[in-house]
Structures are given as C-alpha cells and as structure tokens.
Amino acid sequence: MATKVDPLEALEHLPATEVKKRGWRGVMKAVAPRGKVVVTNHNEPEAVILAAEEYVRIMAIVAQVEAASNDALEALRRRYDERLAALQAPDAGDRLRAVMATPAHGDATLEAGSGF
C-alpha cells in the first residue's frame, strides 16, 4: 500500500512571527531558493507563498491538464454522437426490430452461474 506524502513537508517552513520580523524582503529571500515557502501558525501550515515564476509554471501545467481533459471529453462526445446518429438513419427502426427478433444466443442453453 502506498504511503500518503504531504507535499508541504518538503518545503521550507516559516513561522508567521518570522514573516512579521523579516518583512517582505526577508520572506522573499526565503522563497528564492525553492520558489515557495510554507507559512505556519503554531506549527500548522496556513499559507504557501510562491514566487511569480513558480506560479506561472504551475498555471501552465494546469492549462495542459485542462486541455488534455477537454480533448478526451470532446473525443468521447464525438463517439457518442456518431453512435447516436445511427438511430436517426431511415432504416433504424427496421434494424432494431431485426435485432430484437433474433434470439440472443441462437440455440444455446443459458445457465445461471453460482452467484445467481
């Protein structure tokens, strides 16, 4: 079984009192090496401060994931619409009646499994 990894654990933690002491320049010096820092209050994560470049990088990844998701959804819609279009064909009713009139397994005898 995979263990759950807390992504905040790997980041530098900066107590809120240090943020107040250091001021903005001091905070940004803490952010600079990794592009992000976790601000804690009583040892509990409260916020993550990101460098602008890190934010842009993350948003680019999000945009890629959204685009891939939209492409997959569009492909699924296309396949569904193609199948649905078969019901609009002039002979759709005749084909459906022919399928329904044909026994599902020909002359085969069906037996329920042990679960039924």
Side-chain angles (χ1 to χ4, degrees), residues 90-109:
D91 64 338
D94 294 335
R95 287 186 293 133
L96 180 59
R97 282 187 281 285
V99 167
M100 298 303 282
T102 305
H105 295 285
D107 294 332
T109 304

Side-chain angles (χ1 to χ4, degrees), residues 12-31 37-41 46-49:
E12 179 182 348
H13 286 64
L14 192 61
T17 54
E18 278 296 305
V19 171
K20 291 174 190 173
K21 284 181 195 175
R22 292 184 186 191
W24 188 247
R25 276 197 189 164
V27 170
M28 292 315 293
K29 284 181 183 177
V31 170
V37 69
V38 177
V39 178
T40 60
N41 190 12
E46 202 167 74
V48 176
I49 298 176

